[in-house]
Amino acid sequence: MKKQYYVNGEWKSTTEYADLLSPHTKEVIAQIPQATHEEVEAAIDIAHETRKQMAALTAYERANILEHITQLFIENRKKAAEIISLEAAKPIKYALAEIDRTIETYKFAAEEAKRITGEMIPMDAAKNGANRFGYTIEQPIGVIGAITPFNFPQNLVAHKVGPAIAAGNTIVLKPASQTPLSALFLAELIDQTELPKGVFNVVTGSGKTVGDALVKSDKVKMITFTGSPAVGKGIRDSAGLKKLALELGSNSGLIIDKNVDLAQIVPKCVMGAFSNQGQICISLQRTYVMDEVYEEFLEQFSTLTNKLVIGHPDDESTEISAMIHPDEQERALSWVKEAVEQGSNIVSGGTIEKGIFLPTILTNVSATSKVSCQEVFAPIVLVNRISSIDEGIAAINDSDFGLQAGIFTNDILTAFKASKELEVGGVMINDIPTYRVDQMPYGGVKDSGTGKEGLKYTIHEMTETKLVVWNQQ
Ligand code: NAP
């Protein structure tokens, strides 16, 4: 029950522990070490001392270690999924799907470890470049501080640990306080590999203490953070000149054109709006549907939503369970109330039943209601009517965020226009904004953050490009 954190290949105890509660049953499932500032600094020191040993590993060795991690996840698929389900109340079928993606993420990292290359520079193309021979190399940057959220406790950690190892860096990982068990399980797996001890470290505790120590340390050369915009902005203000990757939230939007096959689209929309209780950074939050198909879409969408199976996360048929914390459910409820006061209608859900916030569809939502203009991070989706594609594009762009957006259309020019005009990091044509595979470049604009994830892209951010010029005379 009492867990330890992991530094230099050793399991460590501390003085303070916090109870970890199951979001679903509210029972205590573990006691988690709350590391002190000094203990975090000690972990950073170890990662700093090990950085040269790690940088000396060959691409072949780094790829083999990542292959081994992949294999260990394949062997421990069920156990890893059960841990996610226990600590995050993620229905088990989605927790298994997360582990399948985690396996792919480490596999991609292993493959990318072998493809880290620089480029030749045509030095003699410049007037003063004669007889020079130039090229770039990508070098590891040293200690990476990784701070991760609760909603994908294994795969979003993999998006930081995989590329950090591929690039030859060392890591201190601070997982979300609600989901430390997945990170500690990863440490158990990594401990079985040839990765030198001290390269990968997990320190548990509060964002304020552990996160802050990582962000402010001079020995940490890059912070890779996935989490809320508010915390991301705070990190940016205190990180000084270190490299930063900030993967933040959004209020993702979707446009549905006329003349589309609703029967194909609606199940995807239900999935996009409600999977993981809407606690996904690219969850479908705002749907703008053309007049001609609006009523039919709403009818099909609410019918399918009302069929979602609500229950215990362990149950294989469950599709919706409790949100991460009762306070979060109360917040979601208050946002729905505000929307209704401002003129919205509730088509489905809008209440908490047996401790679970029900999947909620709202219509006629004002752009200034919180459920529209802020990140809702709950199983709530709005469906508003539009009379032109321009209106839909303008509505989606009327946002502080810009992670991904989607459009369903059969008109090639409309699709092309949307791809150019939507102010987001990724446009999904004939897909929901929630679509993601792990090797694609992924990251937002505006308050959705800076930097791209997707193994190749993260590796680039986790290395320094060094230029070498030879004078051949
Ligand atoms: P969060 O509250 O921002 O927490 C994220 C991490 O930051 C946790 O480990 C947290 O630790 C830590 N933290 C908190 N305060 C800190 C501080 N002052 N300094 C340094 N670290 C600190 O986010 P969350 O609720 O776990 O996750 C939900 C958010 O993540 C949503 O906004 C979602 O959109 C975003 N997200 C984005 C992506 C993406 O790829 N763009 C993917 C998934 C999620 P504690 O848990 O100890 O507070």
Side-chain angles (χ1 to χ4, degrees), residues 148-150 156 174 177 207 225-228 247-249 281 375 442:
T148 51
F150 74 83
L156 291 181
K174 183 253 172 287
S177 288
F225 170 81
T226 301
S228 60
E247 302 292 337
L248 311 177
C281 47
E375 180 182 36
Y442 178 79

Side-chain angles (χ1 to χ4, degrees), residues 147-152 156 174-178 205-208 210-212 215 225-232 235 246-250 279-282 375 377 403 436 442-444 448 453:
I147 305 176
T148 51
F150 74 83
N151 62 339
F152 285 86
L156 291 181
K174 183 253 172 287
S177 288
Q178 183 57 47
S206 77
K208 206 166 178 322
V210 181
D212 200 54
V215 171
F225 170 81
T226 301
S228 60
V231 175
I235 289 176
L246 300 173
E247 302 292 337
L248 311 177
S250 197
Q279 301 165 125
I280 300 183
C281 47
I282 39 175
E375 180 182 36
F377 223 61
L403 194 43
R436 182 182 183 187
Y442 178 79
S448 292
E453 291 202 331

Side-chain angles (χ1 to χ4, degrees), residues 252-255 286 288 389-399 401-409 414-431 433 445-446:
S252 299
L254 171 70
I255 297 168
R286 299 179 296 151
Y288 300 102
I389 296 295
D390 280 327
E391 191 184 343
I393 292 175
I396 289 181
N397 288 346
D398 179 21
S399 168
F401 304 104
L403 194 43
Q404 293 200 150
I407 179 164
F408 284 99
T409 181
T414 299
F416 196 66
K417 177 185 171 68
S419 72
K420 280 201 302 189
E421 293 184 11
L422 285 167
E423 296 163 0
V424 290
V427 176
M428 305 297 121
I429 309 287
N430 286 333
D431 238 316
V445 298
K446 304 194 217 171

Side-chain angles (χ1 to χ4, degrees), residues 121-333:
I121 312 294
M123 299 299 295
D124 66 354
K127 193 173 172 190
N128 291 328
N131 296 316
R132 280 2 182 256
F133 172 70
Y135 56 90
T136 62
I137 51 176
E138 298 291 317
Q139 291 194 310
I141 58 176
V143 182
I144 305 233
I147 305 176
T148 51
F150 74 83
N151 62 339
F152 285 86
Q154 207 55 273
N155 194 37
L156 291 181
V157 166
H159 270 283
K160 303 187 183 311
V161 173
I165 294 175
N169 294 307
T170 62
I171 309 136
V172 180
L173 166 66
K174 183 253 172 287
S177 288
Q178 183 57 47
T179 54
L181 301 180
S182 291
L184 295 173
F185 185 61
L186 173 66
E188 280 179 42
L189 299 185
I190 288 186
D191 196 61
Q192 297 169 42
T193 72
E194 297 288 310
L195 190 73
K197 302 302 177 218
V199 168
F200 173 72
N201 308 281
V202 183
V203 184
T204 52
S206 77
K208 206 166 178 322
T209 305
V210 181
D212 200 54
L214 284 173
V215 171
K216 293 198 174 138
S217 167
D218 287 339
K219 290 180 181 155
V220 174
K221 297 301 173 205
M222 175 177 178
I223 292 289
T224 167
F225 170 81
T226 301
S228 60
V231 175
K233 281 180 189 164
I235 289 176
R236 165 150 244 157
D237 290 343
S238 356
L241 290 178
K242 55 174 67 72
K243 277 191 161 195
L244 271 186
L246 300 173
E247 302 292 337
L248 311 177
S250 197
N251 56 353
S252 299
L254 171 70
I255 297 168
I256 298 181
D257 199 357
K258 55 190 180 218
N259 302 327
V260 291
D261 181 358
L262 290 178
Q264 272 201 14
I265 292 171
V266 169
K268 290 186 185 188
C269 292
V270 172
M271 190 70 169
F274 302 122
S275 59
N276 203 23
Q277 288 78 247
Q279 301 165 125
I280 300 183
C281 47
I282 39 175
S283 191
L284 170 56
Q285 181 172 331
R286 299 179 296 151
T287 322
Y288 300 102
V289 186
M290 285 291 281
D291 240 345
E292 292 83 343
V293 289
Y294 182 83
E295 296 298 342
E296 181 56 28
F297 173 80
L298 199 56
E299 168 68 28
Q300 289 191 28
F301 190 46
S302 56
T303 303
L304 215 58
T305 298
N306 293 338
K307 287 186 184 156
L308 286 168
V309 180
I310 295 165
H312 195 292
D314 285 354
D315 190 332
E316 281 176 16
S317 62
T318 295
E319 292 168 309
I320 299 277
S321 192
M323 286 173 63
I324 198 69
H325 198 278
D327 292 350
E328 278 294 286
Q329 303 204 138
E330 291 301 327
R331 174 193 57 83
L333 202 58

